[in-house]
Amino acid sequence: MDMAHERDASSEEEVMAGELRRGPWTVEEDILLMNYVASHGEGRWNSLARSAGLKRTGKSCRLRWLNYLRPDLRRGNITPQEQLLILELHSRWGNRWSKIAQHLPGRTDNEIKNYWRTRVQKHAKQLKCDVNSQQFKDVMRYLWMPRLVERIQAASNANANAVAGDDGGHGGAAADTPPLSSSWQLGADDDGICASPEYYLTAGDHHQLLNNHAAVPEVSSTATAGSSSPSSDSGTGTTATTQPWLAPVGGAEWFTTACDASSSAAVSMHDAVLPGQQQQQGCLIGDTWVSSELPELGVGDFEIGSFDVESIWSMDDSLWYTQTQGV
DNA sequence: AAGGCGCACAACCGCGATCCC
DNA sequence: GGGGATCGCGGTTGTGCGCCT
């Protein structure tokens, strides 16, 4: 756009003339901006920048405020719940980062976009498939998302166990855990998704709210193995014999009924178990998971172990693999 | 110890949409 | 209604840091 180019050109001139700063923000600039917004409010970023005495473009001020200084920002690693929501919403809306961010309170579109590019796209690359391909979407839907659900449930159960332990129980809470039948669903708003998403796990007749962030360890792509695993979090070894996350992925009947208001058709994942398929029953070869159970996905010799599962599930891989293999 | 490399995240850029005078 | 100003979004780049060799 010509207008934009003119603006940019003038900005460039200002930068060249030393009237505008670029690059990382200093603490002093942050304080200036925060103080000014606190007393005058947001908006009118160009004039705000001038009035606040910031040698920055209004655009830069806005971005700094929205992505870094806003008080309601939620810092820290993306939780499994958030990962699950990102995967689901992206499958529905694509790269509509701001729209996706609206459903992750405290998270910015930039943060989600970066997460997607650095984590998810990396896996697509390692799988040698396009991130927008049906093949990769199926991998997400049928493999990653169910496991995220299980992770969330596992952490939740571990937390429940810990609570039960406080009441005098001795790791027996898991015995009361209904057969694993996890599902998750999103409530509906105008977009078909709750503005404040609530996740539920259904286990038998029990429905458990999952968006209790405090109950679930955060995921860190750089987390050391086991550092955020349920067992290590529960601390007292209450899950030594009855870890709920040991159930094979295929055992979890999971689905979402996030209704798409525009189509009125529920986007169902009830068919997560592919037709005629007992879900993946891969085998572990060395440290590589090889599944021959995903022919429909077109992911021949799908290798989970060859890429960084940790960044998706943040689970103690060796423990998890060992357990799922019944070793 | 040091240089290379990759990753994660902050910041910038381009441009269409919307607002407002 | 027109045009400038501003906002907001998605894509891209820059940079700091940790890990590896």
Side-chain angles (χ1 to χ4, degrees), chain A residues 141 145-147 149-150 153 179-185 200-204 247-256 268-274 279:
Chain A
R141 171 162 298 197
M145 292 167 77
R147 286 180 184 166
V149 170
E150 291 196 350
Q153 185 181 32
L180 188 67
S181 175
S182 61
S183 64
W184 63 282
Q185 65 183 75
Y200 297 89
L201 281 180
T202 58
V249 171
E253 178 190 9
W254 66 283
F255 60 92
T256 176
S268 175
M269 293 187 183
H270 203 112
D271 58 348
V273 178
L274 298 175
Q279 267 285 1

Side-chain angles (χ1 to χ4, degrees), chain A residues 100-116:
Chain A
I100 293 172
Q102 288 172 9
H103 298 283
L104 287 118
R107 300 294 186 185
T108 68
D109 55 351
N110 209 33
E111 201 172 6
I112 294 167
K113 181 171 56 182
N114 281 330
Y115 165 75
W116 185 264

